[in-house]
């Protein structure tokens, strides 16, 4: 597993910094802004070795050109991306080695059509699996459907649900409290959502990130990972004013509900 450090950027983005552990080399995920990354590298005497991109949005890619001026490193990212700064194109099922660990690529079109996730499977028994999922999965939420469909988002959530419960989820935005407020509106009787809200509130009161989350928790609190539960089906149907049965229809209804919440 990687040692992972958040570098805050803009209002509520995190640029995740992955350390080698054996050297001063690091990788960054989705550097939307170069300045906070360059400052962090300088302060800690680190050298950028790799850039990973999850999708083309400017707040995930805007810092790449400036970082490359200081560190001419490989840029991994989706092969289908409209972002032109990628020189190591990745596709569904690909894997590659980074600092002695293996990252597995999954195409998860939904928030954008080019979106991919990076999964680091455990190499040893004491390792924790890690997922870098950009703007597709958030703590108790998901990214807006700018380009893809609810069916595609359901497929992405079904993939995340196959990962081990202990998998750490490194999302890119600090949206947790707003997402939990919506999750509680959808499932008012879900005690796990209430517990997670209290936990996240105490972290934010100390100005700490609420991330990473873990997949096992998301399965219990995230309405977008729970479209196959009776609780979410009933709540989405009531809100939509019609009986919904298919997970993708339930997904579309709660995504629409969240957009207006
Ligand atoms: Zn985005």
């Amino acid at each position: 597993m990687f040692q992972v450090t958040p570098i805050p950027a803009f209002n509520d983005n995190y640029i995740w910094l992955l350390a080698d552990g054996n050297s001063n080399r690091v990788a960054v995920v989705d550097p939307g802004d170069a300045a906070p990354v360059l400052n962090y590298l300088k302060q800690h005497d680190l050298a950028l070795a790799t850039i990973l991109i999850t999708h083309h949005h400017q707040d995930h890619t805007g810092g790449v050109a400036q970082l490359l001026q200081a560190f001419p490193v490989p840029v991994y990212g989706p092969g289908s991306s409209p972002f032109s700064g990628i020189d190591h194109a990745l596709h569904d099922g690909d894997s590659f080695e980074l600092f002695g660990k293996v990252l597995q690529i999954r195409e998860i079109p939904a928030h954008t059509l080019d979106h991919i996730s990076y999964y680091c499977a455990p190499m040893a028994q004491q390792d924790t699996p890690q997922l870098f999922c950009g703007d597709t999965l958030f703590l108790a939420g998901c990214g807006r459907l700018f380009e893809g469909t609810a069916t595609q988002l359901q497929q992405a959530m079904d993939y995340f649900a196959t990962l081990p419960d202990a998998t750490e989820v490194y999302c890119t935005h600090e949206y947790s409290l707003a997402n939990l407020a919506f999750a509680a509106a959808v499932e008012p009787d879900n005690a796990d959502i209430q517990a997670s809200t209290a936990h996240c509130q105490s972290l934010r009161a100390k100005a700490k990130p609420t991330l990473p989350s873990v997949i096992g928790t998301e399965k219990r609190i995230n309405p977008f990972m729970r479209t196959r539960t009776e609780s979410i089906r009933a709540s989405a149907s009531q809100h939509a004013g019609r009986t919904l049965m298919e997970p993708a229809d339930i997904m579309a209804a709660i995504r629409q509900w969240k957009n207006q919440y």
Side-chain angles (χ1 to χ4, degrees):
M1 61 187 290
F2 297 102
Q3 267 183 20
V4 185
T5 307
I7 301 176
F10 308 118
N11 283 337
D12 51 33
N13 284 61
Y14 295 120
I15 299 167
W16 297 108
L17 182 126
L18 283 50
D20 178 3
N22 295 312
S23 76
N24 70 334
R25 297 182 312 160
V26 295
V28 288
V29 185
D30 288 349
D33 192 1
V37 176
L38 292 169
N39 287 341
Y40 190 93
L41 297 176
K42 196 172 177 185
Q43 276 170 16
H44 297 84
D45 197 21
L46 298 168
L48 187 63
T50 302
I51 295 172
L52 308 178
I53 299 295
T54 63
H55 68 293
H56 68 86
H57 281 160
Q58 176 74 13
D59 65 319
H60 297 248
T61 57
V64 170
Q66 199 186 333
L67 288 175
L68 290 178
Q69 285 174 12
F71 299 94
V73 300
V75 182
Y76 290 81
S80 64
S81 188
F83 173 59
S84 61
I86 292 159
D87 55 22
H88 284 62
L90 299 168
H91 298 96
D92 200 50
D94 283 352
S95 59
F96 65 98
E97 200 179 306
L98 177 65
F99 306 151
K101 297 150 196 62
V102 176
L103 286 168
Q104 299 171 11
I105 304 308
R106 191 71 176 230
E107 291 177 357
I108 44 167
H111 173 69
T112 63
L113 290 179
D114 70 337
H115 209 304
I116 60 171
S117 64
Y118 298 81
Y119 173 66
C120 183
M123 308 271 285
Q125 193 137 37
Q126 69 274 19
D127 264 6
T128 305
Q130 296 169 313
L131 175 72
F132 300 90
C133 53
D135 283 354
T136 301
L137 178 62
F138 294 135
L139 190 154
C142 70
R144 279 177 189 261
L145 286 171
F146 286 117
E147 298 175 11
T149 65
T151 299
Q152 288 174 316
L153 184 56
Q154 181 63 49
Q155 286 163 352
M157 293 298 166
D158 285 344
Y159 162 62
F160 297 140
T162 67
L163 300 176
D165 279 354
T167 304
E168 292 177 340
V169 179
Y170 291 90
C171 351
T172 317
H173 288 276
E174 183 58 69
Y175 290 161
S176 304
L177 286 175
N179 287 340
L180 284 162
F182 175 70
V186 179
E187 285 188 285
D189 299 329
N190 184 326
D192 291 314
I193 292 172
Q194 293 157 19
S196 190
T197 301
H199 178 62
C200 289
Q201 280 170 339
S202 77
L203 287 169
R204 293 312 289 154
K206 296 174 210 150
K208 288 187 178 166
T210 58
L211 305 173
S213 186
V214 291
I215 287 291
T217 303
E218 292 308 309
K219 286 180 178 172
R220 297 196 306 274
I221 67 169
N222 191 321
F224 302 97
M225 282 197 77
R226 294 171 55 74
T227 52
R228 296 178 188 280
T229 66
E230 174 54 26
S231 167
I232 296 290
R233 194 197 67 76
S235 186
S237 296
Q238 190 183 24
H239 188 263
R242 60 198 170 93
T243 303
L244 300 169
M245 296 304 292
E246 293 301 318
D249 294 338
I250 295 162
M251 183 70 81
I254 56 172
R255 187 56 256 183
Q256 186 67 27
W257 184 359
K258 174 73 165 62
N259 290 349
Q260 294 156 351
Y261 187 73

